[in-house]
Amino acid sequence: MGKAAALCGGGTRGLVSLLSAVPCLACHELPAMSGEPGGRGGGGPAGGPPAAPPGSDTYKGWLFKWTNYLKGYQRRWFVLSNGLLSYYRTQAEMAHTCRGTINLSTAHIDTEDSCNIVLSNGGRTYHLKANSEVERQRWVTALELAKAKAIRMRNNQSDDSGDEEPASQSDKSELHGPLKTLSSKLEDLSTCNELIAKHGAALQRSLSELENLRLPADSGEKIKAVNERATLFRITSNAMINACRDFLDLAESHSRKWQRLLQHEREQRIRLEETIEQLAKQHNSLERACRGAPGLASGTASISSTAKGSVQSAKGEASDEDEETEYFDAMEDAPAFITVTADPKHHRRSGSNLSGASEGHPEDWNLEDSVFESSNQSSYNESTGKDLLPRKRRRSRIPDKPNYSLNLWSIMKNCIGKELSKIPMPVNFNEPLSMLQRLTEDLEYHELLDKAVKCESSTEQMCFVAAFSVSSYSTTVHRTAKPFNPLLGETYELDRLEELGFRSLCEQVSHHPPAAAHHVYSRRGWTLWQDITISSKFRGKYLSIMPLGAIHLEFHSSGNHYVWRKVTSTVHNIIVGKLWIDQSGEIEIVNHKSKDKCQLKFTPYSYFSRDVPRKVTGVVSDADGKAHYVMSGTWDEKMECSKIVHSSHGSTSTEGKQKTVYQTLSPKVLWRKYPLPENAENMYFFSELALTLNEPEERVAPTDSRLRPDQRLMESGRWDEANVEKQRLEEKQRAVRRRREAEAVEALEEGKDYEGYIPLWFERKVDAVTGELICVYKGGYWEAKDKQDWSVCPDIF
């Protein structure tokens, strides 16, 4: 019955073992444990030692396993990891199918003869056979070590459940982590010592039996010498274990002293930081009281009771101010800063006396008169501007996303390290928009640029440009599906000239690497253009998307020319768990006319951080490096701007950077994200603008993304047909590329020049600002649309 029960070894534990192994495979974290080239471990007819020395966390090799009386023993690949022994028919099966798993923490290990091992766990029994006695002993030693470690882990599981406070856990981790490792290794040594004693006693018994046999005299002497050496070896191993135990006791006794010292230093540092922050607040309160005191202007030495009352009232206001004080982390290449919200009433009374105030007087920061408006922005469906026609009624729904299931790992496991654009992906992982349409979504909050046109100050204008650069990421928080890779020559237009005052054109100008050129003209007084190349790498657990290329924005009346680049987007939980996206990095926006700068930092998400998730902070400064505004908010919700009225150097942070204290007026909301439409979760989390991007439209170019058949089929919910159409389009594009390569070879043989692919509506030029070779709009598209002359367009669909 025991051998027959081995047939039922698959079970759910095999599935659990497989799932636990998959992330390691994805990250290449499993060590190369093969005993010989080609990944063949020992234990089989091929010979060679087992895959790893006994005592390591993972142990692999070939063994023979009893299957049934018809087939007898069959060669199987065994993997010992994390207290579980799993087996597969071949090494290749490790990626997808586990045949069975046994938990060693409750298993019994026995040996039948020189080469056999019997593992039993409840109703499951494995009869295994090694290739040799030495190999069998290696496996037995590895199994016993793994069993001892599994039992310890099971017993200590409740101790590691986190009963202590989070703060105490973090405080003790620096000391208890190494001690726990030392203790674990000592227990491994103790287990090894027990095994040495066990096998040493068996060796001595065997030697004693040999002594009793009638052997030549010289043989008896040699056996006695071997016996003495075996005894000496056991004594030495016991001494080693005792020395290790003494070392651990000594470390544990000192750890309490180290713990107290470390805790004391941390408490001192926290108290020092709190004291510095309180001093900054008191300094602000005293400054406000001095400015508000009536007797200071006359220069008299006497201090009236009114002045004393001012000091007292200022002190009372400090408690209310605590809630308004914001503290921002330091950017990597900029000093740390603290913002303290000032009282606008006091500053309006004495604006001319402000030290370090930004352009003009604080009264310029007026809710009604300034361009900065903190009121709610108009919704997407409301008309902005009297000079524009009423908006055309556009669709507000698309067909619901079908519920298709597909194993992502089965597709991605062979694509680790490759560029995403080179991975053949079915439409199941896409959204029914192309990359050109996603690029056009950057214009969703174009009204920020319309407001920026009205700014007379370049630093004020920079605030709106910074808010616009952040707003382009607001649609990515729920959009985990990838857009379609555009075909070479594919275009996308968004003509909102009569409704919103701008029109946009995108064209795919390169296929490998994928690159898109974008040009936007607004009759409201600005032009935006960019040449973006997407570099993406699949790292196993996450996907990194790095946009390469600069974004240019120029205002017609002032000539202010702003340039910035995008940050890195990371898609987490590619294999296991719910997908989520994070933005991290820094954006430096430079006005190349006035030399104003804005440094924005996108803080990466951290489970242990107390910061608000998706946090963005920054400072707007002029050409002389003088700070004028503080930017703060999140890239998925809103951005605020606070005017700086005073700045002073504060304390030095723990990283060695000097903090700057910025005294600011109350923040104003520059940008707030529009709410998602109803039922957005079933429509790929599209915004109101995104829902209209793929809406069929007349008079567009035949290369427009709206006419792409696979994308259109996917939007309609016909995913199987969309996959077939996607393969056809990609094969058609490959055929064109092969023909172009053949023409290049032919031209080379004939000694002629071959220009290669030339974009239709864009041309490559050296950018005068950045010095990079970029694609800029050369004109002709909108004229061709007016004439409906698309004769130059290729047949790509």
Side-chain angles (χ1 to χ4, degrees):
M1 291 296 291
K3 295 183 179 181
L7 296 173
C8 304
T12 57
R13 294 187 181 179
L15 178 60
V16 172
S17 175
L18 175 62
L19 291 176
S20 64
V22 164
C24 298
L25 287 169
C27 300
H28 297 274
E29 290 177 356
L30 281 177
M33 310 298 275
S34 310
E36 59 191 42
R40 295 176 62 87
S56 63
D57 292 336
T58 303
Y59 195 64
K60 304 176 184 178
W62 292 102
L63 287 173
F64 290 94
K65 178 183 175 298
W66 174 266
T67 55
N68 52 51
Y69 286 99
L70 293 176
K71 296 182 178 180
Y73 283 96
Q74 296 292 320
R75 188 166 174 263
R76 297 288 183 261
W77 178 255
F78 280 81
V79 177
L80 174 60
S81 177
N82 297 325
L84 300 173
L85 180 66
S86 307
Y87 73 93
Y88 312 85
R89 286 186 179 176
T90 62
Q91 291 171 264
E93 276 195 348
M94 290 178 63
H96 51 82
T97 305
C98 178
R99 300 292 172 175
T101 302
I102 193 167
N103 193 337
L104 293 177
S105 63
T106 56
H108 178 69
I109 305 172
D110 198 7
T111 53
E112 290 182 340
D113 53 32
S114 60
C115 294
N116 282 41
I117 307 171
V118 179
L119 291 175
S120 58
N121 184 355
R124 181 178 301 172
T125 303
Y126 289 174
H127 291 262
L128 310 176
K129 185 166 67 173
N131 205 38
S132 64
E133 186 174 357
V134 174
E135 187 182 316
R136 191 280 307 262
Q137 194 54 49
R138 286 190 180 126
W139 270 103
V140 170
T141 303
L143 291 170
E144 289 179 341
L145 283 173
K147 177 181 178 180
K149 184 174 290 188
I151 292 173
R152 289 199 306 271
M153 290 176 63
R154 185 184 63 184
N155 294 337
N156 295 336
Q157 190 171 10
S158 59
D159 298 336
D160 299 335
S161 59
D163 295 332
E164 300 179 358
E165 294 293 326
S168 64
Q169 284 185 347
S170 61
D171 291 341
K172 295 178 181 179
S173 60
E174 295 183 18
L175 293 172
H176 284 194
L179 288 175
K180 189 175 180 181
T181 305
L182 284 173
S183 180
S184 174
K185 295 301 179 185
L186 180 61
E187 291 183 5
D188 289 346
L189 288 172
S190 299
T191 306
C192 291
N193 184 46
E194 294 173 2
L195 293 174
I196 290 171
K198 175 182 174 181
H199 299 317
L203 176 62
Q204 287 179 331
R205 285 196 301 272
S206 300
L207 292 172
S208 300
E209 292 174 358
L210 288 175
E211 288 181 8
N212 296 330
L213 298 177
R214 295 181 179 180
L215 297 172
D218 55 347
S219 300
E221 293 296 328
K222 290 182 179 180
I223 291 174
K224 287 183 179 180
V226 172
N227 201 348
E228 290 174 358
R229 290 174 183 174
T231 304
L232 183 62
F233 180 70
R234 291 178 59 195
I235 294 172
T236 306
S237 65
N238 286 329
M240 178 187 66
I241 296 297
N242 292 333
C244 292
R245 186 172 286 108
D246 293 340
F247 171 76
L248 182 63
D249 292 340
L250 186 63
E252 287 179 340
S253 63
H254 281 75
S255 72
R256 289 185 288 272
K257 178 182 177 182
W258 297 336
Q259 178 74 32
R260 287 193 299 270
L261 290 174
L262 182 61
Q263 185 66 23
H264 175 72
E265 292 296 328
R266 284 180 173 170
E267 291 173 356
Q268 290 288 93
R269 188 188 69 185
I270 292 172
R271 278 197 292 268
L272 183 60
E273 289 177 353
E274 291 174 350
T275 302
I276 291 170
E277 292 172 5
Q278 189 63 31
L279 284 173
K281 297 172 187 176
Q282 291 176 1
H283 174 78
N284 177 47
S285 300
L286 289 172
E287 195 173 79
R288 286 165 49 189
C290 291
R291 291 194 181 108
L296 292 178
S298 63
T300 58
S302 63
I303 301 176
S304 65
S305 59
T306 308
K308 294 179 182 178
S310 300
V311 174
Q312 291 175 354
S313 63
K315 186 176 180 181
E317 289 169 2
S319 61
D320 297 332
E321 186 185 61
D322 292 350
E323 298 179 359
E324 299 176 356
T325 303
E326 294 184 73
Y327 298 91
F328 296 97
D329 290 338
M331 290 181 286
E332 293 179 5
D333 56 353
F337 61 89
I338 301 174
T339 63
V340 181
T341 306
D343 187 344
K345 294 181 180 179
H346 287 295
H347 288 293
R348 285 200 181 99
R349 293 195 192 106
S350 57
S352 59
N353 296 327
L354 287 179
S355 173
S358 60
E359 306 171 15
H361 300 292
E363 48 263 32
D364 294 340
W365 188 257
N366 188 284
L367 182 63
E368 291 78 24
D369 300 332
S370 175
V371 178
F372 296 89
E373 296 177 359
S374 60
S375 59
N376 292 332
Q377 298 177 5
S378 59
S379 66
Y380 179 74
N381 288 324
E382 293 178 0
S383 179
T384 57
K386 299 178 181 179
D387 58 327
L388 302 179
L389 297 176
R391 296 189 182 183
K392 176 183 175 182
R393 183 174 181 84
R394 301 188 182 276
R395 68 180 185 181
S396 59
R397 284 193 58 86
I398 61 173
D400 286 356
K401 177 182 177 181
N403 186 18
Y404 278 80
S405 61
L406 192 64
N407 185 5
L408 177 62
W409 175 243
S410 64
I411 296 173
M412 302 293 279
K413 65 184 178 182
N414 297 321
C415 303
I416 296 174
K418 295 182 181 179
E419 285 196 19
L420 184 65
S421 59
K422 296 183 180 180
I423 299 175
M425 299 284 286
V427 300
N428 303 54
F429 303 115
N430 285 22
E431 62 179 18
L433 289 178
S434 74
M435 190 62 205
L436 302 180
Q437 292 164 312
R438 285 294 294 268
L439 206 58
T440 307
E441 278 192 73
D442 289 356
L443 303 172
E444 181 159 12
Y445 299 94
H446 62 90
E447 66 269 10
L448 290 170
L449 303 183
D450 296 340
K451 291 180 180 180
V453 173
K454 304 174 183 177
C455 294
E456 297 179 0
S457 164
S458 60
T459 52
E460 284 185 5
Q461 192 175 71
M462 175 69 83
C463 294
F464 282 99
V465 174
F468 175 78
S469 69
V470 175
S471 69
S472 62
Y473 298 98
S474 62
T475 60
T476 65
V477 64
H478 299 297
R479 303 272 288 277
T480 55
K482 65 179 289 289
F484 279 79
N485 291 329
L487 303 173
L488 186 61
E490 187 174 333
T491 60
Y492 180 74
E493 68 160 73
L494 187 68
D495 192 351
R496 299 286 196 268
L497 194 63
E498 300 301 326
E499 302 170 60
L500 304 174
F502 73 88
R503 57 186 181 186
S504 162
L505 175 66
C506 289
E507 180 182 353
Q508 187 77 359
V509 295
S510 174
H511 187 59
H512 285 305
H518 186 202
H519 183 270
V520 189
Y521 166 79
S522 173
R523 62 167 57 158
R524 289 273 181 103
W526 54 270
T527 300
L528 182 146
W529 67 96
Q530 56 182 322
D531 184 358
I532 298 295
T533 300
I534 301 295
S535 176
S536 53
K537 290 288 185 180
F538 174 51
R539 306 293 186 183
K541 288 182 179 178
Y542 62 91
L543 180 71
S544 296
I545 302 170
M546 293 82 66
L548 308 176
I551 303 172
H552 296 256
L553 172 65
E554 187 172 18
F555 291 95
H556 303 162
S557 59
S558 64
N560 288 332
H561 186 167
Y562 297 89
V563 179
W564 70 93
R565 300 173 189 272
K566 289 180 175 286
V567 296
T568 299
S569 301
T570 307
V571 185
H572 295 270
N573 292 343
I574 289 291
I575 304 304
V576 178
K578 184 180 180 181
L579 291 174
W580 61 279
I581 293 179
D582 194 23
Q583 315 289 345
S584 60
E586 292 187 9
I587 293 179
E588 184 183 59
I589 308 174
V590 180
N591 182 346
H592 285 271
K593 181 183 178 183
S594 64
K595 306 304 179 183
D596 298 338
K597 287 186 179 181
C598 176
Q599 197 87 14
L600 293 173
K601 179 181 178 182
F602 288 65
T603 305
Y605 175 79
S606 173
Y607 180 79
F608 302 100
S609 175
R610 297 180 181 178
D611 283 337
V612 177
R614 310 179 185 97
K615 178 180 174 184
V616 181
T617 56
V619 175
V620 175
S621 56
D622 59 19
D624 298 326
K626 180 180 177 181
H628 288 259
Y629 297 97
V630 171
M631 304 292 296
S632 61
T634 58
W635 55 261
D636 69 321
E637 184 179 353
K638 67 178 180 178
M639 285 298 293
E640 295 179 336
C641 175
S642 303
K643 188 172 185 178
I644 299 173
V645 295
H646 182 77
S647 62
S648 60
H649 294 296
S651 62
T652 302
S653 65
T654 55
E655 294 83 7
K657 296 181 180 179
Q658 191 176 36
K659 286 186 177 180
T660 302
V661 179
Y662 290 131
Q663 193 177 94
T664 67
L665 299 180
S666 299
K668 305 255 163 99
V669 177
L670 299 186
W671 161 75
R672 192 185 300 275
K673 181 186 176 183
Y674 299 138
L676 288 175
E678 187 180 354
N679 195 41
E681 64 276 6
N682 295 320
M683 298 187 295
Y684 309 91
F685 287 99
F686 281 177
S687 64
E688 290 188 17
L689 174 63
L691 288 172
T692 68
L693 292 180
N694 205 44
E695 185 176 8
E697 194 165 321
E698 298 178 353
R699 299 175 60 83
V700 298
T703 55
D704 197 273
S705 300
R706 298 176 180 88
L707 305 176
R708 182 166 173 163
D710 54 349
Q711 187 173 302
R712 182 62 60 194
L713 288 168
M714 184 196 177
E715 185 184 275
S716 302
R718 298 153 64 183
W719 284 16
D720 293 335
E721 298 174 56
N723 276 317
V724 174
E725 193 65 19
K726 183 173 182 287
Q727 292 179 4
R728 181 189 69 81
L729 291 175
E730 290 173 349
E731 185 54 41
K732 182 177 182 179
Q733 182 171 237
R734 293 188 195 102
V736 173
R737 187 178 71 243
R738 286 192 294 267
R739 186 179 70 246
R740 194 174 290 119
E741 291 171 352
E743 292 174 355
V745 172
E746 184 179 348
L748 182 63
E749 292 175 350
E750 296 177 358
K752 300 178 181 178
D753 293 333
Y754 185 76
E755 290 185 342
Y757 178 77
I758 302 175
L760 284 179
W761 313 111
F762 291 80
E763 59 182 348
R764 291 184 172 87
K765 287 185 177 180
V766 176
D767 183 68
V769 175
T770 63
E772 300 174 349
L773 184 65
I774 64 171
C775 281
V776 295
Y777 180 59
K778 65 181 180 182
Y781 179 86
W782 303 107
E783 292 79 3
K785 181 181 179 181
D786 292 338
K787 298 176 183 178
Q788 282 298 293
D789 179 13
W790 303 114
S791 56
V792 296
C793 295
D795 177 20
I796 61 174
F797 298 144

